[in-house]
């Protein structure tokens, strides 16, 4: 799946699991390849400004604190992926940033990874 350009202008592509492909494929029927897969109600593509209020509304409906934003959800997701042990290159690819940025901001969450790996080598 092509995500589009990130902040640095790079094209981002992700491989999707078959289960997700099965959900998304019907959404593409009869639509031009240039059409956004997940469009706004008026058919236009989402952008960073268009997400603000729908995210706030969804967070409110879910009973989350009013401070929740798309950025908060992004940070929480990245944190969960790193703590869950996903390699940092994959986390960076999914989140559209560099490994250096993931290491800088989330590397501290993996401090026990080396100790855990060494513990697994004990004979």
């Amino acid at each position: 799946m092509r995500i589009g350009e990130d902040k640095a202008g790079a094209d981002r592509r992700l491989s999707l699991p078959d289960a997700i492909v099965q959900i998304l494929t019907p959404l593409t029927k009869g639509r031009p390849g240039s059409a956004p897969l997940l469009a706004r109600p008026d058919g236009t593509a989402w952008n960073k400004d268009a997400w603000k209020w729908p995210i706030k509304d969804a967070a409110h409906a879910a009973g989350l604190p009013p401070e929740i934003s798309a950025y908060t959800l992004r940070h929480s997701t990245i944190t969960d992926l790193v703590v869950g042990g996903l390699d940092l290159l994959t986390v960076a690819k999914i989140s559209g940033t560099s490994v250096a940025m993931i290491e800088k901001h989330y590397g501290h969450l993996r401090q026990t990874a080396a100790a855990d790996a060494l513990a697994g080598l004990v004979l």
Side-chain angles (χ1 to χ4, degrees), residues 70-116:
Y71 179 79
T72 308
L73 298 173
R74 172 185 165 81
H75 176 70
S76 297
T77 300
I78 293 171
T79 298
D80 288 349
L81 293 173
V82 170
V83 170
L86 189 60
D87 66 280
L88 300 186
L89 175 60
T90 303
V91 174
K93 285 185 177 284
I94 289 170
S95 54
T97 191
S98 67
V99 173
M101 289 304 289
I102 295 295
E103 287 176 336
K104 178 179 177 182
H105 296 286
Y106 301 92
H108 66 282
L109 300 172
R110 298 286 299 169
Q111 287 178 339
T112 61
D116 293 345

mmCIF file of all heavy atoms in Angstrom, residues 70-116:
data_model
loop_
_atom_site.group_PDB
_atom_site.id
_atom_site.type_symbol
_atom_site.label_atom_id
_atom_site.label_comp_id
_atom_site.label_asym_id
_atom_site.label_seq_id
_atom_site.Cartn_x
_atom_site.Cartn_y
_atom_site.Cartn_z
ATOM 1 N N ALA A 70 -4.578 13.270 17.677
ATOM 2 C CA ALA A 70 -3.994 12.298 16.758
ATOM 3 C C ALA A 70 -2.533 12.045 17.143
ATOM 4 O O ALA A 70 -2.057 10.908 17.089
ATOM 5 C CB ALA A 70 -4.102 12.787 15.319
ATOM 6 N N TYR A 71 -1.830 13.092 17.548
ATOM 7 C CA TYR A 71 -0.430 12.944 17.956
ATOM 8 C C TYR A 71 -0.320 12.032 19.180
ATOM 9 O O TYR A 71 0.569 11.187 19.255
ATOM 10 C CB TYR A 71 0.205 14.308 18.251
ATOM 11 C CG TYR A 71 1.635 14.174 18.692
ATOM 12 C CD1 TYR A 71 2.646 13.953 17.763
ATOM 13 C CD2 TYR A 71 1.979 14.215 20.039
ATOM 14 C CE1 TYR A 71 3.963 13.795 18.161
ATOM 15 C CE2 TYR A 71 3.289 14.052 20.450
ATOM 16 C CZ TYR A 71 4.275 13.848 19.501
ATOM 17 O OH TYR A 71 5.576 13.682 19.905
ATOM 18 N N THR A 72 -1.213 12.193 20.146
ATOM 19 C CA THR A 72 -1.204 11.351 21.339
ATOM 20 C C THR A 72 -1.394 9.886 20.955
ATOM 21 O O THR A 72 -0.699 9.003 21.453
ATOM 22 C CB THR A 72 -2.333 11.756 22.306
ATOM 23 O OG1 THR A 72 -2.258 13.151 22.558
ATOM 24 C CG2 THR A 72 -2.276 10.993 23.603
ATOM 25 N N LEU A 73 -2.335 9.639 20.055
ATOM 26 C CA LEU A 73 -2.595 8.272 19.622
ATOM 27 C C LEU A 73 -1.400 7.705 18.856
ATOM 28 O O LEU A 73 -1.050 6.534 19.001
ATOM 29 C CB LEU A 73 -3.869 8.219 18.781
ATOM 30 C CG LEU A 73 -5.140 8.650 19.519
ATOM 31 C CD1 LEU A 73 -6.314 8.719 18.568
ATOM 32 C CD2 LEU A 73 -5.430 7.724 20.689
ATOM 33 N N ARG A 74 -0.761 8.542 18.044
ATOM 34 C CA ARG A 74 0.442 8.118 17.317
ATOM 35 C C ARG A 74 1.547 7.734 18.302
ATOM 36 O O ARG A 74 2.165 6.680 18.188
ATOM 37 C CB ARG A 74 0.905 9.249 16.401
ATOM 38 C CG ARG A 74 2.247 9.013 15.733
ATOM 39 C CD ARG A 74 2.655 10.258 14.939
ATOM 40 N NE ARG A 74 4.036 10.266 14.557
ATOM 41 C CZ ARG A 74 4.556 9.621 13.502
ATOM 42 N NH1 ARG A 74 3.751 8.921 12.733
ATOM 43 N NH2 ARG A 74 5.824 9.684 13.230
ATOM 44 N N HIS A 75 1.784 8.602 19.283
ATOM 45 C CA HIS A 75 2.812 8.349 20.288
ATOM 46 C C HIS A 75 2.508 7.054 21.048
ATOM 47 O O HIS A 75 3.407 6.224 21.266
ATOM 48 C CB HIS A 75 2.899 9.530 21.251
ATOM 49 C CG HIS A 75 3.857 9.337 22.364
ATOM 50 N ND1 HIS A 75 5.227 9.310 22.181
ATOM 51 C CD2 HIS A 75 3.651 9.123 23.686
ATOM 52 C CE1 HIS A 75 5.815 9.099 23.351
ATOM 53 N NE2 HIS A 75 4.883 8.989 24.268
ATOM 54 N N SER A 76 1.256 6.855 21.425
ATOM 55 C CA SER A 76 0.871 5.645 22.155
ATOM 56 C C SER A 76 1.090 4.396 21.316
ATOM 57 O O SER A 76 1.567 3.375 21.824
ATOM 58 C CB SER A 76 -0.600 5.722 22.578
ATOM 59 O OG SER A 76 -0.794 6.783 23.467
ATOM 60 N N THR A 77 0.750 4.475 20.035
ATOM 61 C CA THR A 77 0.932 3.329 19.152
ATOM 62 C C THR A 77 2.407 2.997 18.990
ATOM 63 O O THR A 77 2.807 1.827 19.091
ATOM 64 C CB THR A 77 0.293 3.609 17.777
ATOM 65 O OG1 THR A 77 -1.108 3.850 17.962
ATOM 66 C CG2 THR A 77 0.489 2.456 16.820
ATOM 67 N N ILE A 78 3.232 4.007 18.738
ATOM 68 C CA ILE A 78 4.672 3.775 18.596
ATOM 69 C C ILE A 78 5.232 3.185 19.887
ATOM 70 O O ILE A 78 6.025 2.238 19.865
ATOM 71 C CB ILE A 78 5.411 5.065 18.194
ATOM 72 C CG1 ILE A 78 4.991 5.484 16.781
ATOM 73 C CG2 ILE A 78 6.925 4.875 18.283
ATOM 74 C CD1 ILE A 78 5.489 6.859 16.367
ATOM 75 N N THR A 79 4.819 3.724 21.027
ATOM 76 C CA THR A 79 5.269 3.207 22.319
ATOM 77 C C THR A 79 4.911 1.736 22.453
ATOM 78 O O THR A 79 5.751 0.909 22.836
ATOM 79 C CB THR A 79 4.661 4.021 23.476
ATOM 80 O OG1 THR A 79 5.111 5.372 23.376
ATOM 81 C CG2 THR A 79 5.035 3.450 24.827
ATOM 82 N N ASP A 80 3.669 1.380 22.136
ATOM 83 C CA ASP A 80 3.233 -0.015 22.241
ATOM 84 C C ASP A 80 4.031 -0.922 21.312
ATOM 85 O O ASP A 80 4.383 -2.048 21.686
ATOM 86 C CB ASP A 80 1.745 -0.144 21.935
ATOM 87 C CG ASP A 80 0.857 0.411 23.031
ATOM 88 O OD1 ASP A 80 1.362 0.707 24.135
ATOM 89 O OD2 ASP A 80 -0.356 0.558 22.784
ATOM 90 N N LEU A 81 4.329 -0.450 20.101
ATOM 91 C CA LEU A 81 5.101 -1.265 19.157
ATOM 92 C C LEU A 81 6.520 -1.492 19.664
ATOM 93 O O LEU A 81 7.051 -2.606 19.593
ATOM 94 C CB LEU A 81 5.136 -0.601 17.778
ATOM 95 C CG LEU A 81 3.796 -0.523 17.046
ATOM 96 C CD1 LEU A 81 3.937 0.311 15.769
ATOM 97 C CD2 LEU A 81 3.251 -1.904 16.736
ATOM 98 N N VAL A 82 7.149 -0.438 20.198
ATOM 99 C CA VAL A 82 8.517 -0.553 20.701
ATOM 100 C C VAL A 82 8.554 -1.449 21.936
ATOM 101 O O VAL A 82 9.373 -2.378 22.023
ATOM 102 C CB VAL A 82 9.117 0.840 21.000
ATOM 103 C CG1 VAL A 82 10.438 0.729 21.755
ATOM 104 C CG2 VAL A 82 9.308 1.626 19.705
ATOM 105 N N VAL A 83 7.678 -1.201 22.890
ATOM 106 C CA VAL A 83 7.644 -2.003 24.118
ATOM 107 C C VAL A 83 7.292 -3.453 23.794
ATOM 108 O O VAL A 83 7.790 -4.381 24.431
ATOM 109 C CB VAL A 83 6.647 -1.399 25.133
ATOM 110 C CG1 VAL A 83 6.407 -2.334 26.307
ATOM 111 C CG2 VAL A 83 7.158 -0.057 25.630
ATOM 112 N N GLY A 84 6.459 -3.641 22.767
ATOM 113 C CA GLY A 84 6.076 -4.989 22.364
ATOM 114 C C GLY A 84 7.178 -5.760 21.658
ATOM 115 O O GLY A 84 7.018 -6.941 21.360
ATOM 116 N N GLY A 85 8.303 -5.094 21.380
ATOM 117 C CA GLY A 85 9.446 -5.787 20.826
ATOM 118 C C GLY A 85 9.593 -5.735 19.318
ATOM 119 O O GLY A 85 10.479 -6.379 18.759
ATOM 120 N N LEU A 86 8.746 -4.975 18.635
ATOM 121 C CA LEU A 86 8.901 -4.856 17.191
ATOM 122 C C LEU A 86 10.215 -4.150 16.897
ATOM 123 O O LEU A 86 10.583 -3.190 17.581
ATOM 124 C CB LEU A 86 7.732 -4.061 16.599
ATOM 125 C CG LEU A 86 7.628 -4.039 15.078
ATOM 126 C CD1 LEU A 86 7.460 -5.446 14.513
ATOM 127 C CD2 LEU A 86 6.465 -3.168 14.644
ATOM 128 N N ASP A 87 10.945 -4.644 15.893
ATOM 129 C CA ASP A 87 12.231 -4.029 15.607
ATOM 130 C C ASP A 87 12.046 -2.566 15.204
ATOM 131 O O ASP A 87 11.026 -2.186 14.630
ATOM 132 C CB ASP A 87 12.984 -4.805 14.522
ATOM 133 C CG ASP A 87 12.282 -4.725 13.190
ATOM 134 O OD1 ASP A 87 11.310 -5.475 12.983
ATOM 135 O OD2 ASP A 87 12.700 -3.899 12.358
ATOM 136 N N LEU A 88 13.035 -1.742 15.533
ATOM 137 C CA LEU A 88 12.909 -0.297 15.350
ATOM 138 C C LEU A 88 12.843 0.110 13.884
ATOM 139 O O LEU A 88 12.199 1.114 13.564
ATOM 140 C CB LEU A 88 14.039 0.427 16.067
ATOM 141 C CG LEU A 88 14.101 0.202 17.589
ATOM 142 C CD1 LEU A 88 15.166 1.082 18.219
ATOM 143 C CD2 LEU A 88 12.755 0.418 18.244
ATOM 144 N N LEU A 89 13.447 -0.648 12.987
ATOM 145 C CA LEU A 89 13.336 -0.336 11.564
ATOM 146 C C LEU A 89 11.893 -0.454 11.106
ATOM 147 O O LEU A 89 11.376 0.423 10.398
ATOM 148 C CB LEU A 89 14.242 -1.253 10.729
ATOM 149 C CG LEU A 89 14.123 -1.088 9.211
ATOM 150 C CD1 LEU A 89 14.488 0.337 8.780
ATOM 151 C CD2 LEU A 89 14.990 -2.106 8.490
ATOM 152 N N THR A 90 11.215 -1.504 11.528
ATOM 153 C CA THR A 90 9.812 -1.690 11.145
ATOM 154 C C THR A 90 8.934 -0.621 11.777
ATOM 155 O O THR A 90 8.035 -0.086 11.128
ATOM 156 C CB THR A 90 9.337 -3.104 11.525
ATOM 157 O OG1 THR A 90 10.193 -4.058 10.886
ATOM 158 C CG2 THR A 90 7.907 -3.341 11.091
ATOM 159 N N VAL A 91 9.185 -0.290 13.040
ATOM 160 C CA VAL A 91 8.432 0.783 13.698
ATOM 161 C C VAL A 91 8.615 2.084 12.919
ATOM 162 O O VAL A 91 7.646 2.806 12.659
ATOM 163 C CB VAL A 91 8.862 0.963 15.173
ATOM 164 C CG1 VAL A 91 8.174 2.186 15.787
ATOM 165 C CG2 VAL A 91 8.562 -0.277 15.983
ATOM 166 N N ALA A 92 9.836 2.371 12.513
ATOM 167 C CA ALA A 92 10.117 3.596 11.765
ATOM 168 C C ALA A 92 9.378 3.590 10.427
ATOM 169 O O ALA A 92 8.793 4.603 10.033
ATOM 170 C CB ALA A 92 11.618 3.743 11.541
ATOM 171 N N LYS A 93 9.373 2.460 9.724
ATOM 172 C CA LYS A 93 8.686 2.378 8.436
ATOM 173 C C LYS A 93 7.183 2.579 8.597
ATOM 174 O O LYS A 93 6.561 3.319 7.846
ATOM 175 C CB LYS A 93 8.966 1.036 7.759
ATOM 176 C CG LYS A 93 10.356 0.943 7.165
ATOM 177 C CD LYS A 93 10.518 -0.363 6.407
ATOM 178 C CE LYS A 93 11.853 -0.446 5.753
ATOM 179 N NZ LYS A 93 11.966 0.351 4.563
ATOM 180 N N ILE A 94 6.600 1.942 9.596
ATOM 181 C CA ILE A 94 5.160 2.062 9.825
ATOM 182 C C ILE A 94 4.789 3.498 10.158
ATOM 183 O O ILE A 94 3.777 4.018 9.689
ATOM 184 C CB ILE A 94 4.711 1.117 10.962
ATOM 185 C CG1 ILE A 94 4.765 -0.334 10.486
ATOM 186 C CG2 ILE A 94 3.312 1.468 11.454
ATOM 187 C CD1 ILE A 94 4.565 -1.345 11.598
ATOM 188 N N SER A 95 5.619 4.154 10.963
ATOM 189 C CA SER A 95 5.285 5.494 11.431
ATOM 190 C C SER A 95 5.807 6.605 10.523
ATOM 191 O O SER A 95 5.554 7.779 10.774
ATOM 192 C CB SER A 95 5.769 5.698 12.862
ATOM 193 O OG SER A 95 7.137 5.407 12.969
ATOM 194 N N GLY A 96 6.517 6.236 9.458
ATOM 195 C CA GLY A 96 6.967 7.231 8.494
ATOM 196 C C GLY A 96 8.040 8.155 9.008
ATOM 197 O O GLY A 96 8.059 9.348 8.705
ATOM 198 N N THR A 97 8.951 7.609 9.785
ATOM 199 C CA THR A 97 10.052 8.403 10.308
ATOM 200 C C THR A 97 11.327 7.580 10.227
ATOM 201 O O THR A 97 11.316 6.460 9.709
ATOM 202 C CB THR A 97 9.762 8.883 11.748
ATOM 203 O OG1 THR A 97 10.721 9.861 12.126
ATOM 204 C CG2 THR A 97 9.725 7.751 12.737
ATOM 205 N N SER A 98 12.415 8.102 10.720
ATOM 206 C CA SER A 98 13.682 7.393 10.645
ATOM 207 C C SER A 98 13.917 6.559 11.906
ATOM 208 O O SER A 98 13.347 6.830 12.970
ATOM 209 C CB SER A 98 14.834 8.387 10.492
ATOM 210 O OG SER A 98 14.966 9.155 11.678
ATOM 211 N N VAL A 99 14.786 5.572 11.762
ATOM 212 C CA VAL A 99 15.190 4.771 12.917
ATOM 213 C C VAL A 99 15.855 5.681 13.947
ATOM 214 O O VAL A 99 15.640 5.524 15.155
ATOM 215 C CB VAL A 99 16.137 3.626 12.493
ATOM 216 C CG1 VAL A 99 16.701 2.905 13.710
ATOM 217 C CG2 VAL A 99 15.411 2.646 11.585
ATOM 218 N N ALA A 100 16.629 6.655 13.476
ATOM 219 C CA ALA A 100 17.299 7.582 14.400
ATOM 220 C C ALA A 100 16.293 8.318 15.276
ATOM 221 O O ALA A 100 16.514 8.479 16.488
ATOM 222 C CB ALA A 100 18.161 8.575 13.629
ATOM 223 N N MET A 101 15.185 8.751 14.684
ATOM 224 C CA MET A 101 14.170 9.463 15.473
ATOM 225 C C MET A 101 13.472 8.519 16.451
ATOM 226 O O MET A 101 13.182 8.905 17.594
ATOM 227 C CB MET A 101 13.152 10.139 14.555
ATOM 228 C CG MET A 101 13.714 11.323 13.801
ATOM 229 S SD MET A 101 14.434 12.591 14.866
ATOM 230 C CE MET A 101 12.990 13.271 15.617
ATOM 231 N N ILE A 102 13.206 7.289 16.016
ATOM 232 C CA ILE A 102 12.585 6.312 16.922
ATOM 233 C C ILE A 102 13.540 6.027 18.079
ATOM 234 O O ILE A 102 13.128 6.019 19.243
ATOM 235 C CB ILE A 102 12.217 5.014 16.173
ATOM 236 C CG1 ILE A 102 11.125 5.279 15.118
ATOM 237 C CG2 ILE A 102 11.770 3.925 17.155
ATOM 238 C CD1 ILE A 102 9.781 5.711 15.673
ATOM 239 N N GLU A 103 14.821 5.817 17.779
ATOM 240 C CA GLU A 103 15.797 5.573 18.843
ATOM 241 C C GLU A 103 15.897 6.761 19.788
ATOM 242 O O GLU A 103 15.964 6.591 21.006
ATOM 243 C CB GLU A 103 17.175 5.280 18.243
ATOM 244 C CG GLU A 103 17.264 3.917 17.598
ATOM 245 C CD GLU A 103 18.592 3.672 16.914
ATOM 246 O OE1 GLU A 103 19.275 4.650 16.533
ATOM 247 O OE2 GLU A 103 18.944 2.494 16.748
ATOM 248 N N LYS A 104 15.916 7.956 19.236
ATOM 249 C CA LYS A 104 16.053 9.164 20.058
ATOM 250 C C LYS A 104 14.887 9.323 21.031
ATOM 251 O O LYS A 104 15.085 9.648 22.206
ATOM 252 C CB LYS A 104 16.140 10.389 19.146
ATOM 253 C CG LYS A 104 16.229 11.704 19.885
ATOM 254 C CD LYS A 104 16.332 12.872 18.921
ATOM 255 C CE LYS A 104 16.349 14.195 19.665
ATOM 256 N NZ LYS A 104 16.405 15.331 18.741
ATOM 257 N N HIS A 105 13.667 9.102 20.533
ATOM 258 C CA HIS A 105 12.487 9.380 21.357
ATOM 259 C C HIS A 105 11.921 8.171 22.093
ATOM 260 O O HIS A 105 11.193 8.336 23.079
ATOM 261 C CB HIS A 105 11.395 10.014 20.498
ATOM 262 C CG HIS A 105 11.792 11.341 19.953
ATOM 263 N ND1 HIS A 105 11.857 12.475 20.722
ATOM 264 C CD2 HIS A 105 12.186 11.717 18.718
ATOM 265 C CE1 HIS A 105 12.263 13.492 19.980
ATOM 266 N NE2 HIS A 105 12.482 13.053 18.761
ATOM 267 N N TYR A 106 12.228 6.968 21.603
ATOM 268 C CA TYR A 106 11.628 5.774 22.203
ATOM 269 C C TYR A 106 12.662 4.730 22.612
ATOM 270 O O TYR A 106 12.300 3.705 23.183
ATOM 271 C CB TYR A 106 10.634 5.129 21.221
ATOM 272 C CG TYR A 106 9.528 6.061 20.810
ATOM 273 C CD1 TYR A 106 9.649 6.857 19.674
ATOM 274 C CD2 TYR A 106 8.366 6.155 21.563
ATOM 275 C CE1 TYR A 106 8.636 7.724 19.299
ATOM 276 C CE2 TYR A 106 7.350 7.021 21.197
ATOM 277 C CZ TYR A 106 7.494 7.804 20.064
ATOM 278 O OH TYR A 106 6.491 8.658 19.708
ATOM 279 N N GLY A 107 13.945 4.976 22.313
ATOM 280 C CA GLY A 107 14.993 4.000 22.602
ATOM 281 C C GLY A 107 15.075 3.613 24.064
ATOM 282 O O GLY A 107 15.385 2.465 24.402
ATOM 283 N N HIS A 108 14.765 4.554 24.943
ATOM 284 C CA HIS A 108 14.832 4.261 26.375
ATOM 285 C C HIS A 108 13.861 3.151 26.775
ATOM 286 O O HIS A 108 14.047 2.488 27.790
ATOM 287 C CB HIS A 108 14.540 5.523 27.198
ATOM 288 C CG HIS A 108 13.143 6.027 27.050
ATOM 289 N ND1 HIS A 108 12.724 6.754 25.947
ATOM 290 C CD2 HIS A 108 12.058 5.886 27.852
ATOM 291 C CE1 HIS A 108 11.440 7.049 26.094
ATOM 292 N NE2 HIS A 108 11.020 6.541 27.233
ATOM 293 N N LEU A 109 12.847 2.929 25.953
ATOM 294 C CA LEU A 109 11.867 1.887 26.258
ATOM 295 C C LEU A 109 12.427 0.488 26.009
ATOM 296 O O LEU A 109 11.833 -0.492 26.423
ATOM 297 C CB LEU A 109 10.600 2.086 25.421
ATOM 298 C CG LEU A 109 9.875 3.414 25.639
ATOM 299 C CD1 LEU A 109 8.757 3.572 24.629
ATOM 300 C CD2 LEU A 109 9.345 3.506 27.061
ATOM 301 N N ARG A 110 13.564 0.422 25.317
ATOM 302 C CA ARG A 110 14.180 -0.865 24.976
ATOM 303 C C ARG A 110 15.433 -1.136 25.810
ATOM 304 O O ARG A 110 16.230 -1.989 25.465
ATOM 305 C CB ARG A 110 14.538 -0.892 23.485
ATOM 306 C CG ARG A 110 13.380 -0.763 22.541
ATOM 307 C CD ARG A 110 12.553 -1.998 22.466
ATOM 308 N NE ARG A 110 13.421 -3.073 21.988
ATOM 309 C CZ ARG A 110 13.086 -4.333 22.001
ATOM 310 N NH1 ARG A 110 11.933 -4.700 22.447
ATOM 311 N NH2 ARG A 110 13.911 -5.247 21.583
ATOM 312 N N GLN A 111 15.605 -0.434 26.914
ATOM 313 C CA GLN A 111 16.823 -0.579 27.712
ATOM 314 C C GLN A 111 17.041 -1.995 28.206
ATOM 315 O O GLN A 111 18.180 -2.424 28.379
ATOM 316 C CB GLN A 111 16.805 0.390 28.889
ATOM 317 C CG GLN A 111 17.028 1.821 28.463
ATOM 318 C CD GLN A 111 16.953 2.780 29.637
ATOM 319 O OE1 GLN A 111 16.392 2.477 30.669
ATOM 320 N NE2 GLN A 111 17.516 3.960 29.464
ATOM 321 N N THR A 112 15.999 -2.724 28.449
ATOM 322 C CA THR A 112 16.166 -4.085 28.963
ATOM 323 C C THR A 112 16.329 -5.111 27.842
ATOM 324 O O THR A 112 16.577 -6.277 28.129
ATOM 325 C CB THR A 112 14.965 -4.484 29.838
ATOM 326 O OG1 THR A 112 13.778 -4.446 29.035
ATOM 327 C CG2 THR A 112 14.810 -3.547 31.026
ATOM 328 N N ALA A 113 16.211 -4.689 26.587
ATOM 329 C CA ALA A 113 16.287 -5.646 25.477
ATOM 330 C C ALA A 113 17.620 -6.376 25.457
ATOM 331 O O ALA A 113 17.666 -7.598 25.251
ATOM 332 C CB ALA A 113 16.039 -4.941 24.149
ATOM 333 N N ALA A 114 18.727 -5.659 25.652
ATOM 334 C CA ALA A 114 20.044 -6.304 25.638
ATOM 335 C C ALA A 114 20.170 -7.304 26.786
ATOM 336 O O ALA A 114 20.642 -8.431 26.588
ATOM 337 C CB ALA A 114 21.147 -5.255 25.712
ATOM 338 N N ALA A 115 19.743 -6.904 27.973
ATOM 339 C CA ALA A 115 19.821 -7.809 29.125
ATOM 340 C C ALA A 115 18.951 -9.042 28.893
ATOM 341 O O ALA A 115 19.356 -10.168 29.206
ATOM 342 C CB ALA A 115 19.392 -7.087 30.398
ATOM 343 N N ASP A 116 17.771 -8.846 28.334
ATOM 344 C CA ASP A 116 16.880 -9.974 28.047
ATOM 345 C C ASP A 116 17.507 -10.912 27.023
ATOM 346 O O ASP A 116 17.438 -12.131 27.154
ATOM 347 C CB ASP A 116 15.530 -9.481 27.542
ATOM 348 C CG ASP A 116 14.740 -8.734 28.594
ATOM 349 O OD1 ASP A 116 15.083 -8.828 29.790
ATOM 350 O OD2 ASP A 116 13.775 -8.033 28.222
#
